[in-house]
């Protein structure tokens, strides 16, 4: 089979770092090729070079057998390369058709007027050709994330892409949407398109690809047929050492309920009800996972519990103490540890040093503060101990928190929160954007916390994570807990349906009357 | 880390901090030189005159220190708020509040001995500045009204309120029964700060007064407050990342009120020092005194750091003091304003210089191909 893309000896050097080191990469016609690697391994850099966003420091690129210099994305598009970015580049108030034709608009009256009819026709044609159903007249803001991604793919196809690069396409999708995406790209490949998937998720590699190229620290480790390799071996190639994919979790009988939420109502920033009558409880030595698609009230729920957002009504109790009227400071003092979902915005003061960050939340307590003065020797000592204990990779504790990699930032936050020995640990998207090694670490620590008889509230979008860590799973949809199920009995399919707002069979019958009135 | 490396690191850090201000200052002087050339004069003569005017003798240096005193304090005032994420451009109003309070206190407590009187005047001026700024602080904290708007409005409110007090409350006509003046009564001797020339003859005819020590003391105070106290930790964290500070249990509203209060306190003290050190009365005026606005430039050029602000206020002192000597050489003193303007523009556009630096660094590394250990960084993505 001929190669449509050949990248030979590509190197890319950034200040202080070699992102790609003599990389060779071949893409065959009609294949789905996964580029697998951890965050920061250099896979996105390589693809940005192919798409003309970066210039390689050295090396050649051949497309269809001819050497090309891709000096910007326009050249890439001319050569039939299309890229779907992780964060969609769509104009939300515009329609699907308007977005797709943008930059390449059909016109009439000698270019004086946009030919909208033709545009819609074009979009319909192309979506029929590839079986990607969308309504050309729908506005982007009204579409689900899965459909928006479809629009992005159509946009690339409309520009005549034969080679499609998808950057972490599944990060924002539900399990069902991921499945649909798999079908779509397989169909595209059958039509003769060649597809590159950038990902760090092993499951997708196995289910979606023909071949996989593993990249680690800027170097290509190997390119293999997907059929010929097992998940565990792939993980080892990606990380560079043996990794445990399964979380070690012992059976444990949870203790009494120490944390409970009763009929909680919370409004979002626009004043709409984001959390509607949510009730649940967590027992000592138990992980309760709140699973759901992003934007179903999880953020508001956690903010309300931790005092970062006003509670409209309802109760939050920890060890019999009502938290609903307390300030964040008082809530921290009552024994709540919180790994926030956005470590850049909430979890760390990026401009402060690592040492200063490792006391945030108890910075005013002894021995770190005395009579209103900071005790920096104690603070540095504290940071050094935690850095060692939690294996935070950093030159020292004086560097700015913002200069650390995501995994190490998260380790620092976890170290800080665990140091408090909290009664309740809230972990919100604790592994978002982390690589396999770091995920393993975070999971281990969460289970450790559970085994220490702490109550753990895990909020996650990752089904695998939820299923392997949780003892019980509460599925949230549209601000309500749709159902709470035993994690041992839960299946991915069942959770997927619940996450999409579908009711669990038994509960559906029970609630059908109530639902009918709404 | 051994001592040699440590020293190297400190020098490197210092250079990283100083390079933008230094480049900006060089650019200011360069563009100033071009303009002087265009005006048909010799820039070399102009600059020699400038530095002679501000350095040629202890008296000249004294005058430079005198010019530096109020703007050092307003620069600190601005920077404390800015570090907390607040844009306090109400330094003018807070300065005026402190100045008029000093006059009032100086009049009503004039029978007290010098030291006690001065301390009372300082304390009241500090409270007045803090209170004036707190109006904006509370409005921001409790109602979310932007501090830029309220502090601008409070500047005018302060100006006209002070003008009213000058005419109708503290006027010599009312208090002494003499004829009406366009200024308040003068401070009694006991309320005035000592001029250094009265103690050390070497200061000649310069106006530098003990206020300079108070100003430097404020810089020390700011350093300790920001970098040594728990409150400073909370203020800085809130300025760098309000959401993370809130997550850490720091109350946003308390941070805002505290920062505005402290900022206003320093500006108020600056007003008192200025009145007690040189003017001795507050005059009726159609515009605010300008020290508060100069403080914004001084604070930014000084990198919002107390040490940097001492340096930048000294530079601005040099420029405004040397301007007179330059004028005697036939060079318009507006050149000084242009140099100041260019420096500020350059500092404000640091970002552009930073990009140039980054590009150059990238090229250098391309040539050298250094492979460091730590590979996973944000930059890759």
């Amino acid at each position: 089979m001929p190669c449509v893309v050949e990248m030979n000896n590509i190197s890319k050097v950034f200040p202080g770092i070699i992102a790609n080191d003599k990389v060779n990469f071949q893409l065959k016609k009609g294949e789905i090729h996964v580029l697998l690697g951890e965050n920061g391994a250099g896979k996105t850099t390589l693809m940005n070079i192919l798409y003309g966003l970066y210039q390689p420091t050295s090396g050649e690129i051949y497309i269809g057998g001819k050497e090309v210099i891709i000096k910007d994305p326009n050249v890439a598009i001319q050569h039939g390369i299309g890229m779907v970015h992780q964060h969609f580049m769509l104009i939300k108030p515009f329609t699907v058709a308007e977005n797709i034709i943008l930059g390449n608009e059909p016109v009439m009256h000698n270019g004086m007027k946009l030919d909208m009819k033709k545009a819609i026709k074009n979009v319909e044609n192309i979506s029929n050709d590839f079986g990607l159903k969308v309504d050309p007249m729908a506005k982007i803001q009204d579409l689900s994330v899965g459909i928006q991604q479809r629009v992005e793919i159509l946009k690339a196809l409309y520009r005549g892409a034969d080679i499609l690069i998808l950057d972490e396409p599944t990060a924002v999708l539900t399990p069902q949407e991921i499945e649909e995406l798999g079908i779509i790209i397989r169909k595209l490949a059958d039509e003769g398109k060649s597809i590159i998937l950038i990902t760090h998720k092993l499951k997708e590699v196995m289910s979606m690809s023909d071949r996989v190229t593993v990249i680690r620290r800027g170097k290509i480790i190997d390119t293999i047929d997907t059929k010929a390799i097992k998940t565990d071996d792939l993980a080892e190639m990606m990380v560079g050492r043996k990794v445990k994919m399964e979380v070690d979790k012992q059976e444990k009988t949870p203790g009494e309920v120490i944390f409970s939420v009763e009929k909680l109502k919370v409004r979002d920033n626009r004043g709409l009800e984001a959390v509607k009558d949510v009730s649940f409880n967590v027992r000592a030595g138990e992980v309760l996972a709140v699973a759901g698609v992003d934007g179903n009230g999880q953020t508001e729920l956690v903010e309300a519990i931790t005092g970062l957002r006003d509670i409209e009504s309802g109760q939050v109790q920890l060890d019999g103490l009502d938290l609903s009227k307390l300030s964040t400071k008082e809530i921290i003092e009552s024994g709540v540890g919180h790994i926030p979902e956005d470590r850049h915005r909430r979890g760390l003061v990026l401009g402060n040093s690592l040492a200063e960050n490792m006391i945030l939340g108890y910075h005013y307590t002894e021995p770190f503060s005395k009579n209103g003065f900071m005790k920096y020797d104690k603070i540095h000592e504290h940071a050094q101990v935690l850095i060692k204990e939690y294996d935070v990779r950093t030159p020292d504790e004086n560097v700015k928190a913002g200069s650390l990699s995501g995994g190490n930032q998260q380790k620092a936050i976890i170290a800080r929160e665990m140091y408090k020995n909290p009664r309740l640990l809230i972990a919100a998207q604790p592994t978002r954007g982390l690589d396999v090694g770091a995920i393993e670490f975070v999971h281990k620590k969460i289970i450790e916390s559970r085994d220490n008889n702490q109550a753990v509230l895990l909020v996650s979008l990752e089904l695998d994570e939820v299923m392997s860590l949780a003892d019980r799973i509460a599925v949230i949809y549209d601000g309500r807990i749709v159902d709470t199920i035993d994690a041992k009995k839960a299946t991915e399919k069942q959770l997927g349906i619940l996450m999409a707002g579908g009711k669990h069979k038994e509960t559906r019958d029970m609630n059908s009357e109530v639902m009918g009135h709404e | 880390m051994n001592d040699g490396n440590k020293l190297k690191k400190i020098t490197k850090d210092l250079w990283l901090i100083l390079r933008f201000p230094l480049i900006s200052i060089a650019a200011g002087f360069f563009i100033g030189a071009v303009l002087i050339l265009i005006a048909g004069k010799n820039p070399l003569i102009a600059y020699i005159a400038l530095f002679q005017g501000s350095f040629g003798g202890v008296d000249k240096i004294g005058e430079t220190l005198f010019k530096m005193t109020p703007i050092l304090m307003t620069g600190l005032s601005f920077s404390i708020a800015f570090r907390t994420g607040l844009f306090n451009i109400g330094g003018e109003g807070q300065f005026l509040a402190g100045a008029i309070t000093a006059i009032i206190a100086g009049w009503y407590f004039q029978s007290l001995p010098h030291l006690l009187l001065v301390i009372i005047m300082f304390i009241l001026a500090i409270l007045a500045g803090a209170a004036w700024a707190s109006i904006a602080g509370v409005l921001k904290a409790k109602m979310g009204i932007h501090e830029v708007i309220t502090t601008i409005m409070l500047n005018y409110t302060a100006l006209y309120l002070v003008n009213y007090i000058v005419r109708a409350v503290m006027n010599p006509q009312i208090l002494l029964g003499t004829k009406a003046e366009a200024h308040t009564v003068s401070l009694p001797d006991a309320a005035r700060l000592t001029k250094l020339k009265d103690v050390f003859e070497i200061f000649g005819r310069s106006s530098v007064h003990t206020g300079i020590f108070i100003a430097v003391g404020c810089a020390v105070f700011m350093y300790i407050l920001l970098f040594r106290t728990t409150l400073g930790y909370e203020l800085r964290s809130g300025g760098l990342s309000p959401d993370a500070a809130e997550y850490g249990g720091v109350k946003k509203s308390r941070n805002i009120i505290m920062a505005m209060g402290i900022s206003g306190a320093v500006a108020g003290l600056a007003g008192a020092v200025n009145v007690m050190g040189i003017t001795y009365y507050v005059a009726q005026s159609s515009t605010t005194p300008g020290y508060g606005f100069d403080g914004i430039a001084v604070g930014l050029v000084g990198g919002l750091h107390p040490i940097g602000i001492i340096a930048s206020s000294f530079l601005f002192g040099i420029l405004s003091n040397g301007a007179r000597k330059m004028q005697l050489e036939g060079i318009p003193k507006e050149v000084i304003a242009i140099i100041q303007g260019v420096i500020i523009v350059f500092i404000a556009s640091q970002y552009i210089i930073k990009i140039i630096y980054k590009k150059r660094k990238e090229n250098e590394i391309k040539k050298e191909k250094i492979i460091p250990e730590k590979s996973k960084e944000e930059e890759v993505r």
Side-chain angles (χ1 to χ4, degrees):
Chain A
M1 225 185 285
C3 284
V4 283
V5 174
E6 256 194 278
M7 299 177 83
N8 289 341
N9 276 319
I10 299 286
S11 290
K12 174 68 186 172
V13 182
F14 286 110
I17 191 164
I18 295 195
N20 287 151
D21 189 7
K22 299 206 187 79
V23 165
N24 291 302
F25 177 81
Q26 284 101 22
L27 179 68
K28 290 182 192 165
K29 189 167 171 54
E31 76 167 339
I32 301 174
H33 193 136
V34 163
L35 194 54
L36 179 72
E38 298 197 276
N39 287 309
K43 46 192 195 303
T44 301
T45 306
L46 184 67
M47 288 302 112
N48 282 343
I49 289 172
L50 182 58
Y51 195 58
L53 289 168
Y54 290 150
Q55 295 310 305
T57 313
S58 64
E60 306 99 50
I61 302 171
Y62 296 87
I63 291 177
K66 264 184 277 176
E67 181 168 3
V68 289
I69 289 165
I70 305 174
K71 66 175 201 305
D72 59 46
N74 288 327
V75 178
I77 292 166
Q78 277 164 26
H79 286 100
I81 299 171
M83 187 154 178
V84 175
H85 296 274
Q86 193 175 351
H87 304 285
F88 303 146
M89 315 264 178
L90 297 170
I91 303 165
K92 294 210 161 148
F94 280 22
T95 65
V96 169
E98 284 168 338
N99 266 285
I100 290 176
I101 58 161
L102 186 67
N104 204 354
E105 304 89 354
V107 287
M108 48 195 208
H109 307 318
N110 296 324
M112 295 301 287
K113 193 171 181 300
L114 184 64
D115 191 347
M116 212 50 223
K117 274 209 188 95
K118 197 172 166 208
I120 292 167
K121 189 99 198 79
N122 285 350
V123 170
E124 272 170 353
N125 282 344
I126 200 161
S127 84
N128 287 337
D129 285 353
F130 294 100
L132 290 162
K133 276 222 179 70
V134 284
D135 173 8
M137 298 302 286
K139 284 191 174 153
I140 296 294
Q141 60 203 16
D142 300 331
L143 299 176
S144 74
V145 178
I147 305 292
Q148 288 186 25
Q149 189 174 52
R150 214 174 269 187
V151 175
E152 280 280 14
I153 295 173
L154 278 172
K155 218 167 91 183
L157 294 173
Y158 176 79
R159 284 164 177 68
D162 283 318
I163 300 155
L164 262 181
I165 306 167
L166 304 175
D167 188 1
E168 301 279 5
T170 61
V172 288
L173 304 180
T174 63
Q176 276 78 9
E177 285 172 329
I178 292 174
E179 209 168 293
E180 274 170 43
L181 176 69
I183 296 167
I184 288 170
I185 59 172
R186 178 53 65 194
K187 195 161 176 190
L188 290 174
D190 290 344
E191 302 261 350
K193 306 284 179 194
S194 315
I195 291 155
I196 303 171
L197 285 182
I198 305 176
T199 186
H200 64 275
K201 291 186 186 169
L202 296 163
K203 226 168 77 188
E204 285 151 22
V205 179
M206 302 313 281
S207 67
M208 286 185 182
S209 67
D210 299 312
R211 287 201 305 160
V212 52
T213 292
V214 183
I215 186 164
R216 184 172 82 224
R217 290 188 172 224
K219 288 198 172 94
I220 297 289
I221 305 303
D222 204 355
T223 301
I224 340 133
D225 284 338
T226 313
K227 280 194 228 78
I229 185 147
K230 282 204 285 291
T231 315
D232 289 350
D233 300 330
L234 262 186
E236 197 181 331
M237 285 169 74
M238 173 162 93
V239 183
R241 62 181 169 84
K242 274 239 181 289
V243 279
K244 262 223 215 82
M245 299 304 293
E246 294 295 309
V247 183
D248 248 340
K249 198 175 115 193
Q250 307 293 324
E251 272 296 313
K252 191 171 188 315
T253 321
E256 61 197 85
V257 171
I258 56 174
F259 178 70
S260 65
V261 169
E262 204 66 52
K263 292 208 155 93
L264 190 67
K265 272 191 191 165
V266 186
R267 293 186 185 276
D268 65 12
N269 292 340
R270 291 167 300 171
L272 305 172
E273 229 170 66
V275 177
K276 304 164 183 167
D277 266 329
V278 163
S279 302
F280 61 83
N281 57 54
V282 194
R283 291 171 286 184
E286 176 189 53
V287 178
L288 175 78
V290 173
V293 180
D294 205 2
N296 276 290
Q298 296 100 317
T299 307
E300 289 81 3
L301 173 67
V302 171
E303 285 183 347
I305 293 172
T306 51
L308 297 166
R309 184 176 285 277
D310 287 339
I311 290 172
E312 183 83 3
S313 66
Q315 280 211 321
V316 181
Q317 286 207 330
L318 179 66
D319 286 326
L321 177 72
D322 185 8
L323 303 184
S324 60
K325 300 273 186 301
L326 300 185
S327 70
T328 302
K329 189 169 163 180
E330 291 162 329
I331 290 170
I332 294 170
E333 280 167 355
S334 70
V336 176
H338 176 198
I339 303 166
E341 63 171 14
D342 189 335
R343 58 177 161 269
H344 290 150
R345 194 169 69 86
R346 283 272 192 219
L348 296 166
V349 180
L350 296 177
N352 270 351
S353 74
L354 181 57
E356 287 187 306
N357 269 290
M358 286 181 120
I359 51 162
L360 184 64
Y362 44 90
H363 54 270
Y364 56 89
T365 60
E366 284 194 37
F368 310 115
S369 166
K370 228 175 183 175
N371 305 324
F373 282 86
M374 299 302 268
K375 297 287 163 205
Y376 276 101
D377 46 342
K378 289 280 188 301
I379 292 166
H380 283 263
E381 230 169 76
H382 168 75
Q384 284 160 6
V385 170
L386 289 187
I387 285 169
K388 214 165 159 202
E389 195 177 324
Y390 285 81
D391 189 31
V392 183
R393 306 275 169 82
T394 172
D396 57 43
E397 74 279 7
N398 296 314
V399 299
K400 296 240 158 76
S403 73
L404 298 182
S405 71
N408 285 309
Q409 290 177 340
Q410 195 72 336
K411 279 181 183 176
I413 293 172
I414 291 173
R416 179 184 70 209
E417 296 305 303
M418 300 285 251
Y419 175 82
K420 292 193 283 201
N421 197 14
R423 288 286 282 160
L424 169 73
L425 179 70
I426 302 173
Q429 326 289 4
T431 57
R432 178 189 275 180
L434 301 190
D435 51 50
V436 176
I439 290 174
E440 194 189 0
F441 181 89
V442 173
H443 285 174
K444 211 174 85 196
K445 286 294 165 191
I446 288 175
I447 292 303
E448 242 177 65
S449 165
R450 157 194 184 260
D451 290 345
N452 281 334
N453 251 345
Q454 294 166 352
V456 179
L457 178 64
L458 169 72
V459 179
S460 178
L461 310 175
E462 303 275 346
L463 263 195
D464 290 343
E465 179 167 278
V466 165
M467 292 178 72
S468 61
L469 292 180
D471 296 303
R472 284 188 300 143
I473 302 170
V475 180
I476 193 168
Y477 173 76
D478 192 24
R480 291 176 212 277
I481 301 286
V482 191
D483 204 350
T484 306
I485 42 184
D486 188 339
K488 284 196 289 288
K489 293 180 195 142
T491 64
E492 194 164 309
K493 192 170 170 208
Q494 177 193 12
L495 288 173
I497 292 167
L498 286 171
M499 280 161 66
K503 279 269 172 184
H504 194 204
K505 199 166 182 305
E506 292 92 335
T507 51
R508 186 196 292 156
D509 295 335
M510 264 165 45
N511 293 346
S512 56
E513 274 191 55
V514 185
M515 298 290 283
H517 289 297
E518 280 182 1
Chain B
M1 203 188 286
N2 64 37
D3 281 355
N5 271 342
K6 210 168 193 171
L7 198 72
K8 224 169 161 186
K9 192 179 175 294
I10 290 169
T11 338
K12 201 185 151 205
D13 286 353
L14 212 62
W15 166 239
L16 286 179
I17 296 165
L18 287 181
R19 61 186 187 190
F20 297 120
L22 290 179
I23 290 170
S24 308
I25 291 162
F29 276 98
F30 176 74
I31 290 172
V34 171
L35 288 170
I36 295 167
L37 269 179
I38 290 171
K41 310 279 179 185
N42 186 343
L44 204 64
I45 292 172
Y47 286 154
I48 288 171
L50 173 71
F51 285 103
Q52 264 178 357
S54 47
F55 281 119
V58 179
D59 57 333
K60 300 287 194 318
I61 295 174
E63 194 65 13
T64 302
L65 293 176
F66 159 70
K67 296 267 186 199
M68 157 187 180
T69 306
I71 53 175
L72 169 54
M73 296 176 78
T74 51
L76 292 166
S77 157
F78 170 78
S79 302
I80 290 170
F82 200 79
R83 283 245 182 192
T84 316
L86 295 166
F87 203 77
N88 175 18
I89 50 178
E92 294 287 290
Q94 294 140 26
F95 185 95
L96 279 173
I100 197 73
T101 304
I103 294 289
I104 297 169
W107 172 263
Y108 286 106
F109 296 111
Q110 54 182 297
S111 52
L112 293 176
H114 172 67
L115 198 63
L116 189 61
L117 177 59
V118 165
I119 289 172
I120 286 177
M121 288 167 78
F122 281 162
I123 291 172
L124 290 176
I126 284 171
L127 291 177
W132 201 251
S134 291
I135 298 172
V138 171
L139 285 173
K140 165 101 176 183
K142 299 291 175 204
M143 301 170 82
I145 303 171
H146 203 282
E147 71 277 10
V148 166
I149 293 167
T150 48
T151 49
I152 290 180
M153 286 162 67
L154 283 168
N155 283 346
Y156 287 106
T157 315
L159 175 66
Y160 296 119
L161 192 61
V162 165
N163 280 345
Y164 170 77
I165 293 172
V166 168
R167 275 205 310 267
V169 183
M170 298 305 291
N171 204 283
Q173 186 191 26
I174 290 155
L175 296 175
L176 298 171
T178 55
K179 73 176 170 60
E181 302 274 2
H183 56 77
T184 62
V185 286
S186 289
L187 286 176
D189 281 345
R192 297 181 182 189
L193 295 176
T194 313
K195 288 237 162 46
L196 293 193
K197 66 178 181 194
D198 295 339
V199 185
F200 307 102
E201 233 169 76
I202 195 166
F203 279 102
R205 288 194 317 201
S206 69
S207 305
V208 63
H209 50 82
T210 48
I212 185 68
F213 302 121
I214 292 161
V216 173
C218 282
V220 175
F221 163 78
M222 177 187 167
Y223 182 86
I224 293 172
L225 172 76
L226 280 178
F227 301 109
R228 288 286 169 264
T229 68
T230 308
L231 176 63
Y233 172 89
E234 295 191 346
L235 293 177
R236 275 187 296 124
S237 300
L240 287 168
S241 178
D243 291 321
E246 189 187 23
Y247 155 89
V250 179
K251 271 224 172 91
K252 268 184 193 174
S253 53
R254 178 176 166 268
N255 245 12
I256 291 167
I257 293 170
M258 289 301 281
M260 278 309 272
I262 296 168
S263 175
V266 177
L269 183 59
V273 164
N274 202 54
V275 162
M276 292 156 72
I278 185 77
T279 59
Y280 305 139
Y281 59 69
V282 173
Q284 198 176 324
S285 169
S286 57
T287 54
T288 51
Y291 295 116
F293 291 135
D294 287 348
I296 298 175
V298 168
L300 291 175
V301 173
L304 305 167
H305 192 285
I307 297 171
I309 295 165
I310 291 178
S312 67
S313 59
F314 189 57
L315 172 75
F316 278 64
I318 292 170
L319 292 177
S320 67
N321 184 27
R324 268 182 304 178
K325 187 84 195 290
M326 245 171 75
Q327 226 174 353
L328 292 179
E329 298 289 336
I331 290 136
K333 72 171 195 309
E334 279 71 22
V335 169
I336 292 296
I338 290 169
I339 293 175
Q340 281 180 354
V342 170
I343 292 172
I344 293 163
V345 167
F346 262 75
I347 291 284
S349 56
Q350 281 192 9
Y351 192 65
I352 296 166
I353 311 176
K354 272 184 182 153
I355 288 173
I356 296 168
Y357 254 93
K358 210 173 155 191
K359 268 259 153 63
R360 192 191 295 167
K361 203 172 165 195
E362 197 173 325
N363 287 335
E364 273 169 22
I365 287 161
K366 255 185 207 169
K367 278 175 218 147
E368 291 172 23
K369 288 216 173 189
I370 308 160
I371 310 170
E373 283 256 322
K374 45 169 183 173
S375 72
K376 291 185 224 159
E377 292 294 2
E378 301 285 285
E379 286 172 281
V380 186
R381 272 180 267 153

